Amino acid sequence: MYYKTLRLVLGDQLNAKHTWFEQKDDSVLYVMMEMRQETDYALHHVQKVVAFFAAMRQFAADLKQQGHQVFYFKILDAENRQNLEKNVSFLIEKYKIKKFEYLLPDEYRLDVQLESLSKQLEAQQIEVSSYDTEHFLTSRHFLSDFFEGKKTYLMEFFYRTLRKKYQVLMQDSDKPLFEKWNFDAENRKAYNGKVALPPAFHFQNKTIIYTEILTEIQQAGVQTLGKIDPAHFEWTTDRTESLLLLDHFCKYSLPYFGTFQDAMYTQSTLLFHAKISFALNIKLLHPLEVIEKAVAVWQDKQFDYAQIEGFVRQILGWREYMRGVYWAQMPDYQTLNFFNHQNKLPSWFWTGETKANCLRHCIGQSLEKSYAHHIQRLMVTGNFALLAAIEPSEVDSWYLGIYADAIEWVEITNTRGMSQFADGGLVATKPYVSSANYINKMSNYCKNCFYNEKTKYGARACPFNSLYWDFYERNREKLEKNPRVSLMYKQWEKYDKEEQAKILAQAEFYKTNIEEI
Ligand code: FAD
Ligand code: SF4
């Protein structure tokens, strides 16, 4: 059997609605690969690897059922070379292929690899073409063109432009609904238990599939982190189930999404969040269908407008924006370290064994579920890493590994950019740091903590408090002139010198004894 064309579908390119799949063509062979190259470039959470492979296997099965020709390399297959170039070359030779086609990858490292492979193939007279994934709402370089010559990229302007372009929540074509673009100020409430939590979504029982994949990756010797229970697997790995999860979110959680999006609560992992990032990032869901569905539900139910605006902002704003930043700034972005932080992450980031309740909860939950919502990532683990002067690459590796939704384009821009301010303020206008004050206001973590959220030094003083002032003091030169931060320095000056010395000594103690926190 020979084929004319080989088409590559990567593990995060599971877009069933792509024009590629509109017509059956027996001269085209689609290839999908489970590879050590992908399982080993970071230490991934075990649920992330299982979820990817399950979604890929289902997608390949669906393509075959529709009549497409598919070659699927499983991780244990003898002919699997575990490497992209080698597997492609193997198939080209085996099936006397004349043309290689691929969808543009989302990751820089794969882009480089595919360009190099393309050159090798062209040298062998194989024709090569690349295609858009038809997933994002902006092209790779839309953002860099939009902000050309600017020192900072203000998300707000980018977001407004896309609202107009896609006519989302607009009136008279160029005015925002209710005459206001941004309702963020109304979206910052702590959860007080008065609004009932949404019912849990019932994930399909695919225990047999998840167990089989788990056994295979273990047999292959793939190293992973975190926990898994195949009988209670909480990721959607096919399009039908992802659409059901989206429906469930719109029905039960969207009406309170904005209000509680910054809240943290020990009794609920999700609160009112959607948990659709994995399905979106591997393209089982399209961002526009997610937005359209959410807007339609809001139009039907007419709940508070701030909720839907807050949600649309995440998908149409932040998600597209982060992708644009990635392609505008890579590969340099991965080396940025504005504060020249050099410390190592404490080992308890991999066990959750710390006396600090907020960190124990967020890390423990991440190890158990491969999920944390935005504020847990930003204002607990990310906040701590920034205050403790952890080297940004250490932080990136942890985030890239632990979350099922972590793909570099959206992980690194959020981690190194938004959370660690390693780009010096390209993405965030000020560093996202806080003392215990914010964590206590937005969560119920402090109530049951070994540490005292009110004290800055002395026995059991909350580490966030002293590290917070230490952060500002040691980065004075870099931050003092930032108008959004200068007020903090005025507040710091109100402490007398003796008090300041005690706070800084306490911070030094925690940094030196970080393993014991
Ligand atoms: P919801 O809160 O329900 O939001 C809905 C959707 O909006 C998300 O699914 C996501 O697609 C989008 N969204 C919201 N915020 C962002 C954002 N800042 N950037 C991009 N999209 C956003 N998101 C990832 O998808 N992958 C990552 O690797 C990732 N790493 C992060 C690392 C750090 C340090 C931080 C602070 C944030 C990170 N985020 C990442 C963004 C955000 O935390 C997750 O998208 C979100 O928690 C996913 O859960 P959800 O689907 O329940 O989101
Ligand atoms: Fe976290 Fe400090 Fe609150 Fe403990 S007291 S939960 S360490 S913020």
Side-chain angles (χ1 to χ4, degrees), residues 356-358 436 439 445-446 449 451-453 462-464:
N357 198 30
C358 54
I439 296 174
Y445 292 140
C446 300
C449 186
Y451 293 108
N452 182 346
E453 80 278 8
C462 170
F464 282 89

Side-chain angles (χ1 to χ4, degrees), residues 355-359 380 435-437 439-440 443-454 460-465 517:
K355 299 190 281 300
N357 198 30
C358 54
L359 287 158
V380 178
S435 63
N437 201 18
I439 296 174
N440 191 31
S443 76
N444 60 349
Y445 292 140
C446 300
K447 284 190 189 81
N448 293 311
C449 186
F450 169 88
Y451 293 108
N452 182 346
E453 80 278 8
K454 295 207 170 62
R460 299 198 174 200
C462 170
F464 282 89
N465 292 340
I517 284 179

Side-chain angles (χ1 to χ4, degrees), residues 227-246:
K227 297 176 191 157
I228 186 167
D229 175 358
H232 299 98
F233 195 75
E234 295 180 344
W235 294 101
T236 61
T237 53
D238 62 62
R239 182 166 160 75
T240 310
E241 196 183 12
S242 303
L243 285 167
L244 289 174
L245 175 63
L246 175 63

Side-chain angles (χ1 to χ4, degrees), residues 106 133-138 283 286-287 319-320 323 409:
D106 291 340
T133 53
E134 300 171 9
H135 173 80
F136 290 98
L137 302 173
T138 47
K283 304 180 182 50
H286 192 280
R319 189 169 186 270
E320 294 292 322
R323 174 168 184 264
W409 65 270

Side-chain angles (χ1 to χ4, degrees), residues 11 14 32 49-62 72 206 209-210 213 236-239 278 282 284:
L14 312 185
M32 297 181 67
V49 183
V50 170
F52 260 93
F53 286 5
M56 288 165 67
R57 288 181 187 192
Q58 183 63 53
F59 191 81
D62 291 346
Y72 192 95
K206 296 187 187 171
I209 295 170
Y210 299 136
I213 295 173
T236 61
T237 53
D238 62 62
R239 182 166 160 75
F278 175 72
I282 65 168
L284 292 177

Side-chain angles (χ1 to χ4, degrees), residues 273-277 281 314 371 374 377 405-406 410-411 414:
H273 292 274
K275 214 188 186 189
I276 54 169
S277 47
N281 293 353
Q314 306 310 318
Y371 176 85
H374 189 69
R377 298 186 204 198
D405 61 26
V410 59
E411 173 281 318
N414 271 293

Side-chain angles (χ1 to χ4, degrees), residues 2-6 25-29 69:
Y2 296 138
Y3 298 96
K4 191 170 151 244
T5 304
L6 183 67
D25 182 345
D26 285 343
S27 73
V28 173
L29 177 66
Q69 309 299 314

